[in-house]
Amino acid sequence: TRSCDVLREALKYGFPVNFAPMPILGATSPITPAGSVVVAAAEILGCITATTLLDDEVYYFSTSIAAEMDMRTTQLSFCTPSAILTDVALHQLFREKYGLVHNVDPAYVEAKVPGVQAASMKVYRQMALGSTVSLPLAIGTLDSAAVFSPTQAMIDLEVSEAVHRFYRGIQVDDETMCLDLIADLEFCADRTYLESEHTLRH
């Protein structure tokens, strides 16, 4: 009831509405990604139905932040394969079945301090989401997005730039293949590519 009251008040002002389920595998949703997708999708579809009944012109979107319950510690883990696959499956379900964009929040990692653990979690999460959903660039967040760290932000910027350049792929054209230069230098017996204008340009 409270959620509906908040929604009704927000719609009076024309605010965009973000439906953001946070399925916690093994706690607030089934332990399996497939089961958690069913629960989260039902929440989103229910919210869309309620919103459009109140105002059929409001702008709405959805975002998920799946986590997995660590049964030994009761801590939430956002960087597990199951949690990430749940978000990915939700994104693909809404894109392919309903023609809607479903966002995935990339900022959540459970690491609490900047360093190797946070960097490796972020790299894994970014690569997994970048391969399936979109390329997230969550800079400087720690402790499930509750903390911003300038130190972590600098690490994240380097990681994000590397990931971005990787997913940009390679450009294939006459300039990048430089067949004339290759033919000219042959096996670098007299000169190397280090000395070429092409290397300088690129």
Side-chain angles (χ1 to χ4, degrees):
T1 302
R2 181 181 178 279
S3 296
C4 290
D5 291 341
V6 170
L7 176 61
R8 188 180 293 109
E9 285 300 312
L11 291 177
K12 287 180 183 177
Y13 301 96
F15 292 155
V17 181
N18 180 18
F19 310 123
M22 197 169 186
I24 301 170
L25 284 73
T28 63
S29 67
I31 192 69
T32 59
S36 291
V37 167
V38 170
V39 170
E43 290 179 7
I44 294 168
L45 293 171
C47 289
I48 290 173
T49 302
T51 301
T52 53
L53 286 172
L54 292 168
D55 183 349
D56 60 1
E57 294 185 4
V58 69
Y59 177 79
Y60 61 80
F61 58 102
S62 61
T63 306
S64 63
I65 312 162
E68 188 170 12
M69 176 72 76
D70 184 331
M71 299 302 173
R72 292 170 301 173
T73 64
T74 69
Q75 297 297 306
L76 300 185
S77 300
F78 297 93
C79 296
T80 67
S82 292
I84 295 171
L85 284 169
T86 299
D87 283 333
V88 168
L90 280 164
H91 172 83
Q92 292 178 347
L93 171 69
F94 276 86
R95 182 183 64 201
E96 294 175 17
K97 179 75 173 172
Y98 303 111
L100 298 172
V101 174
H102 173 78
N103 302 295
V104 173
D105 193 312
Y108 282 63
V109 296
E110 51 270 25
K112 300 189 184 305
V113 295
V116 174
Q117 181 196 23
S120 64
M121 285 181 164
K122 288 190 165 203
V123 168
Y124 175 66
R125 192 163 167 83
Q126 286 188 350
M127 293 296 281
L129 292 174
S131 298
T132 53
V133 177
S134 62
L135 188 61
L137 300 173
I139 306 298
T141 55
L142 293 169
D143 196 9
S144 304
V147 176
F148 176 81
S149 163
T151 302
Q152 188 63 46
M154 298 309 295
I155 296 170
D156 292 346
L157 284 170
E158 289 195 14
V159 169
S160 296
E161 182 180 3
V163 173
H164 172 72
R165 291 180 64 137
F166 175 79
Y167 281 110
R168 197 169 58 189
I170 62 172
Q171 182 178 342
V172 179
D173 55 25
D174 290 341
E175 170 67 11
T176 60
M177 288 193 296
C178 57
L179 298 178
D180 291 340
L181 178 62
I182 293 169
D184 182 45
L185 292 184
E186 293 183 334
F187 299 104
C188 298
D190 299 318
R191 292 180 296 125
T192 68
Y193 291 97
L194 188 60
E195 303 157 53
S196 73
E197 287 293 324
H198 185 271
T199 298
L200 180 63
R201 282 198 306 275
H202 291 272

